[in-house]
Amino acid sequence: MKKIALALAGLLAFGVATADAGEKLRIGTEGAYPPFNNIDKDGKAFGFDLDIADALCAEMKVECEIIAPLDWDSIIIGLNKKKYDAIIASMSITEERKKAVAFTDPYYSNNLTLVAKKGATIDPSNLAGKAVGAQRATIAANYATDKLKDVDVKLYDTQENAYLDLASGRVDVLVSDKLPAYDWLRSEEGKGFEFVGDAIDVNDKIGIAIRQNDTELAEKFNAALKAIVANGTYEKINAKYFPFSIY
């Protein structure tokens, strides 16, 4: 789903720390990836990721502080510089990222999809000559650059800016995580667009990023995740955003 972070070199030099008892657990998120994380007019982060964060913190009986918005390209760097204790921002669990951070168990799964204007002549099996957009430093960007042949790939700093260029016609098709694209297609801006072809299964598992060797915090998150799934809290949050299970 999201995403393959940049600038991994040198991150391992930073230390490891977990919020001590009585201190706030600081949760970092991007704030530009609706419906998972976004920022309201008052500057407060909201969305699926934040609802999950709230539920996990309540289950762990800790006070959590949300740090947002954060720049996606440097979000892992901020974690390892101890600006926050965990990242809950729809981050894909990848081998590349594991060189810099550790992950909890996945808290949802995702596929990729192609999105284009309704009625456009888009052949998913042959996009040669098309302008293809994706958010940079993501699995979608990797797919667009590594798997698609003879296309003009345009990468964007946020998913929202990728949508804007698709809507304006500056790109012909967007490679996107399916779940945020599903939400966008239901919006006023996205109503003239549609999924093209079948979902692209890239075994995308989304986890909470923590500093390496912070095993105690990982265990607490994993236990809390199991608990909110078992007691129905997760299902209620899921239903708030999607009419199908994403777990």
Side-chain angles (χ1 to χ4, degrees), residues 157-230:
D157 57 342
T158 68
Q159 186 75 15
E160 292 174 321
N161 285 335
Y163 291 143
L164 286 173
D165 265 17
L166 178 65
S168 67
R170 285 188 281 269
V171 294
D172 302 303
V173 61
L174 196 67
V175 182
S176 172
D177 294 327
K178 185 173 182 178
L179 297 174
Y182 170 84
D183 185 70
W184 184 72
L185 291 177
R186 296 186 299 167
S187 70
E188 185 65 26
E189 296 80 5
K191 66 181 183 181
F193 297 81
E194 63 185 355
F195 290 136
V196 178
D198 297 329
I200 304 164
D201 186 0
V202 289
N203 191 33
D204 189 13
K205 304 297 183 182
I206 312 305
I208 300 169
I210 55 176
R211 286 184 284 275
Q212 288 187 334
N213 301 321
D214 202 348
T215 55
E216 182 181 354
L217 183 56
E219 290 169 359
K220 289 179 179 178
F221 272 128
N222 288 338
L225 178 59
K226 288 183 175 69
I228 68 170
V229 170

Side-chain angles (χ1 to χ4, degrees), residues 2-108:
K2 252 178 150 212
K3 307 172 173 179
I4 307 296
L6 301 178
L8 291 176
L11 293 180
L12 299 180
F14 294 105
V16 175
T18 303
D20 294 328
E23 293 183 357
K24 289 182 179 179
L25 184 64
R26 299 162 301 164
I27 306 293
T29 197
E30 181 188 18
Y33 192 67
F36 291 93
N37 56 78
N38 209 349
I39 305 295
D40 67 17
K41 59 182 178 59
D42 297 318
K44 182 179 179 181
F46 69 98
F48 178 90
D49 287 331
L50 286 308
D51 289 353
I52 291 294
D54 287 343
L56 294 175
C57 290
E59 183 64 34
M60 292 188 292
K61 296 179 172 56
V62 296
E63 182 180 358
C64 286
E65 177 185 6
I66 302 300
I67 310 297
L70 297 173
D71 181 68
W72 182 255
D73 291 345
S74 59
I75 198 167
I76 284 181
I77 295 174
L79 175 65
N80 283 317
K81 285 186 174 180
K82 304 180 185 178
K83 293 182 178 180
Y84 28 91
D85 305 300
I87 298 169
I88 302 183
S90 289
M91 183 173 283
S92 297
I93 301 170
T94 68
E95 292 305 313
E96 183 180 1
R97 287 202 182 106
K98 287 179 182 178
K99 298 173 184 177
V101 297
F103 286 97
T104 64
D105 295 338
Y107 66 97
Y108 76 89

